Amino acid sequence: MSGRRGRISDDEINELISKLQALLPETSRRRNASRSSASKLLKETCSYIKSLHREVDDLSDRLSELMSTMDNDSPQAEIIRSLLR
Amino acid sequence: MDLFPVSSCGGADACFDSVGRRSRPGDELAELLWDNGPALRRTPHFPPPFQPFTCSAAGSSRAHELSKRHAAAVPMDDDVGLPVHHHDEDDDAVPWLHCPVIDDGDSDTAPLPPEYCAGLLSGYSGLHAVPVPPTSGIEQRPSSNGAVVVPTARAVPTETAAAALPQPSAGGGEGVVNFTFFSRPLQRPQVSAAPPSNPVEPTVMQKAASRLRSTPLFSEQRMAWLQPPPPKAPRATAAAPTSATEHHRHAEAAAKVTQHRLQPNPRAPDATAAVTTSSVCSGNGDRTQARRSSHQTTAECSDGDDEGGAMRRSAARGTKRTRPAEVHNLSERRRRDRINEKMRALQELIPNCNKIDKASMLEEAIEYLKTLQLQVQMMSMGPGLCVPPMLLPAMQHMQMPHMPHFPHLGMGLGFGMGAAAFDMLPRLAGTQFPCPMMPGAPPMAMPPGSMFGLPGQATFPHFSGFAPAEQMQAAAPASGGAAGAGDHPPVPVTTQGEQKLQHPKQT
């Protein structure tokens, strides 16, 4: 593992990690002390992605419901369909 | 479990306690009797032909063989003489193990390399003598006997254990002589262990008893490499139980046995722990491996047990690394394992992620995360797109031409454009509107206009329809997406009304 790190360079990893950190919801990330632990960060990312997935699913459901209420020929329907694809 | 129906081998896990093996006193005795002399083995089921010494011949033949091959004494089949079905695995290690040791699996008496046995045998040499004078021999080396007894419990079914442990009273009195032989050692450390874990220990004990020689040899062997062979007696005892445990309830027996072992020997805990671990591990999966190379087993176990086994192993070895460095390595390894585990989980979440190196995986994760966020924003805005036309039917014909602007964003350009559009909104909103965050704020109507390059005033009517959606757009990125997403659906409807009202004001 450390060998691989050498090739990739720790700096890159750190940079990526900070980028990832920036993307994550900033809730309770004021103190950057322990949160920045790599494993914690990864864990947060995983859970965040999962929550986003859930949200997407939920929104998809809502959109499909909406689509059923409107005529399929309208542009809105197309928009929604595009969103649902 | 009955390793052998006839209980010839007392089962792999025959522990000290003979309770488990009580069922077959006769067989067990037969096993035991090998010590005294060839004869007694009457276990019919034992497959006679086993190589160097017929396992079927029971321990007696084996015992003799052992004495014969002193130096090369391969760990006698744990089950010694008993139809070691358990030892099937041991075959590779020790040809004579073909004896279908009843123990399934296990074999603690796994065929240890001769060198192992040599060490053990040294201890055993005394034991060998024992068979002849069973009692006397045992007395001399209670520890070794114990070890022997324990590991070879397999061969010695309950009876042995019973004999060995007066408490379990498993076997009958048949092997009285033998039992006393066994009992001594058993009593010592194993005895204490035996009572607690009846099922396991008896087996072990039994096995050990039957296999006096074999088990201790190999168990000692294991211990030997773990630590500089300490006094054989303690080692043997410890080893024996450990090996025996493997057969069946290694966990139980091992723990118990180990405990005993630990007490007498401070260092033993490490070794025994390691051994136990290995035995446990081996028991779980690869008994043969464990037997074969306790060393390896420990390693495997440590892998399985993670740091525990490794630590113990290292500790047992002692000299290889310093404790602090070891600890540090272990913690480092633990940390890395955690990170790797999370990375793997992340990789699974990301679709079509075939990167293995961390950096690219992280990059992909970042991209995917952005995409997801965008998608969520867009979808939350979806209803907004449709709502205006629905709420403002009058404006529809006017909005229609302008609708394509948004569809372009949403459909044709995919998320990329959407992202661009969204990105623009926050900036515009920030500069032109005091409250870009407010989804319903009338001022939001402006940005869409500027975004599309349409004259703000001229397009106001459109924006009434778009505004809510666009407001959502602006709001969404501004508010960080996730937060606003939830609000969007309801917002457009309400904003619509506001928009209409406020439009005249803006214009």
Side-chain angles (χ1 to χ4, degrees):
Chain A
M1 193 74 68
S2 38
R4 285 177 57 178
R5 291 260 179 96
R7 264 180 303 181
I8 298 180
S9 108
D10 289 337
D11 289 342
E12 285 184 32
I13 300 237
N14 287 346
E15 184 190 333
L16 293 175
I17 288 189
S18 51
K19 269 200 238 167
L20 196 55
Q21 204 168 30
L23 280 178
L24 289 179
E26 292 277 342
T27 58
S28 79
R29 201 136 35 93
R30 311 269 155 32
R31 346 157 245 204
N32 200 12
S34 60
R35 294 327 187 260
S36 56
S37 146
S39 75
K40 254 212 154 94
L41 188 73
L42 287 176
K43 189 173 171 195
E44 265 198 51
T45 303
C46 282
S47 53
Y48 185 50
I49 290 186
K50 283 190 205 148
S51 77
L52 282 184
H53 280 170
R54 278 197 300 267
E55 204 170 341
V56 166
D57 291 342
D58 181 43
L59 287 177
S60 302
D61 292 342
R62 280 209 280 213
L63 281 180
S64 20
E65 280 179 29
L66 189 59
M67 273 201 61
S68 60
T69 63
M70 50 192 270
D71 51 339
N72 284 348
D73 299 333
S74 62
Q76 295 85 13
E78 289 192 35
I79 296 174
I80 294 190
R81 261 192 293 265
S82 72
L83 287 177
L84 286 173
R85 65 167 188 279
Chain B
M1 60 181 169
D2 289 280
L3 295 180
F4 28 91
V6 190
S7 72
S8 51
C9 294
D13 47 34
C15 280
F16 313 97
D17 188 7
S18 53
V19 175
R21 290 296 176 251
R22 263 187 277 223
S23 53
R24 295 182 270 274
D27 299 333
E28 281 128 5
L29 284 183
E31 302 295 331
L32 292 176
L33 293 178
W34 65 266
D35 281 321
N36 293 332
L40 315 184
R41 237 45 209 160
R42 54 191 170 81
T43 48
H45 58 277
F46 292 148
F50 278 111
Q51 285 121 32
F53 41 95
T54 54
C55 299
S56 56
S60 59
S61 52
R62 203 146 346 154
H64 292 302
E65 301 245 10
L66 248 176
S67 46
K68 285 192 227 162
R69 21 173 114 177
H70 213 68
V74 183
M76 290 210 20
D77 205 1
D78 293 342
D79 295 1
V80 178
L82 296 177
V84 278
H85 48 259
H86 312 289
H87 299 298
D88 292 337
E89 309 111 85
D90 303 334
D91 284 348
D92 356 330
V94 180
W96 53 264
L97 283 183
H98 292 311
C99 306
V101 178
I102 300 176
D103 293 87
D104 30 290
D106 190 282
S107 47
D108 345 293
T109 49
L112 283 181
E115 49 269 23
Y116 287 165
C117 301
L120 289 172
L121 280 182
S122 55
Y124 273 125
S125 31
L127 283 181
H128 285 293
V130 174
V132 178
T135 345
S136 58
I138 302 182
E139 321 267 346
Q140 294 164 7
R141 318 188 52 99
S143 53
S144 30
N145 288 346
V148 176
V149 176
V150 174
T152 49
R154 236 202 288 203
V156 183
T158 0
E159 296 177 351
T160 320
L165 299 176
Q167 308 136 14
S169 69
E174 18 193 18
V176 178
V177 178
N178 299 334
F179 286 123
T180 51
F181 170 85
F182 294 109
S183 55
R184 274 313 132 90
L186 292 177
Q187 285 171 3
R188 283 201 323 143
Q190 285 92 17
V191 170
S192 45
S197 55
N198 296 340
V200 181
E201 300 185 7
T203 319
V204 173
M205 299 262 307
Q206 295 171 1
K207 289 194 280 200
S210 59
R211 286 183 278 222
L212 295 178
R213 320 272 187 253
S214 52
T215 340
L217 287 181
F218 116 87
S219 5
E220 276 198 29
Q221 204 47 77
R222 269 203 302 198
M223 304 295 296
W225 73 258
L226 285 178
Q227 336 173 336
K232 287 287 169 29
R235 280 293 83 91
T237 338
T242 331
S243 52
T245 328
E246 288 181 12
H247 291 290
H248 297 287
R249 330 239 164 92
H250 9 269
E252 254 180 69
K256 303 232 168 111
V257 178
T258 316
Q259 287 172 9
H260 296 290
R261 289 269 41 98
L262 295 179
Q263 292 154 15
N265 195 340
R267 201 108 174 269
D270 292 339
T272 46
V275 176
T276 310
T277 316
S278 49
S279 51
V280 174
C281 296
S282 55
N284 297 337
D286 316 316
R287 301 238 187 91
T288 44
Q289 285 183 11
R291 272 190 297 201
R292 236 167 271 144
S293 48
S294 43
H295 177 92
Q296 292 173 8
T297 316
T298 319
E300 292 161 14
C301 288
S302 54
D303 294 339
D305 299 347
D306 202 21
E307 286 81 21
M311 279 186 77
R312 276 192 289 266
R313 187 157 38 93
S314 316
R317 294 224 218 120
T319 54
K320 300 290 172 75
R321 323 169 191 145
T322 61
R323 289 298 173 90
E326 243 177 66
V327 170
H328 175 69
N329 283 350
L330 286 169
S331 56
E332 183 64 28
R333 192 194 323 178
R334 241 182 312 213
R335 176 178 154 273
R336 258 180 288 158
D337 287 344
R338 270 200 297 262
I339 292 186
N340 287 347
E341 181 190 334
K342 303 285 184 343
M343 293 280 290
R344 272 194 297 271
L346 189 60
Q347 187 174 23
E348 283 167 18
L349 281 178
I350 299 179
N352 305 327
C353 177
N354 51 1
K355 306 279 191 304
I356 358 180
D357 62 316
K358 287 189 169 189
S360 45
M361 245 218 26
L362 283 177
E363 284 170 358
E364 270 209 38
I366 291 172
E367 288 305 314
Y368 182 63
L369 199 52
K370 283 194 212 160
T371 305
L372 265 187
Q373 281 174 341
L374 257 183
Q375 184 178 14
V376 166
Q377 287 175 15
M378 296 257 318
M379 292 180 79
S380 57
M381 222 177 43
L385 298 177
C386 311
V387 166
M390 282 153 56
L391 293 183
L392 305 172
M395 310 295 256
Q396 271 185 5
H397 66 281
M398 290 179 69
Q399 292 172 356
M400 293 295 280
H402 298 278
M403 284 291 288
H405 292 287
F406 197 78
H408 288 169
L409 282 179
M411 293 179 347
L413 310 178
F415 291 134
M417 274 303 278
F422 292 152
D423 289 352
M424 289 169 63
L425 285 171
R427 285 192 288 274
L428 296 169
T431 55
Q432 302 179 16
F433 302 92
C435 44
M437 295 299 296
M438 283 171 49
M444 301 302 273
M446 289 300 288
S450 32
M451 229 175 57
F452 296 117
L454 300 170
Q457 303 191 356
T459 54
F460 273 3
H462 313 302
F463 291 121
S464 62
F466 289 107
E470 261 134 355
Q471 284 177 8
M472 286 165 59
Q473 285 182 27
S479 60
D487 302 330
H488 288 170
V491 166
V493 181
T494 52
T495 4
Q496 278 290 275
E498 293 178 21
Q499 290 287 323
K500 284 191 264 186
L501 291 173
Q502 305 198 6
H503 275 307
K505 293 179 193 170
Q506 288 174 350
T507 41

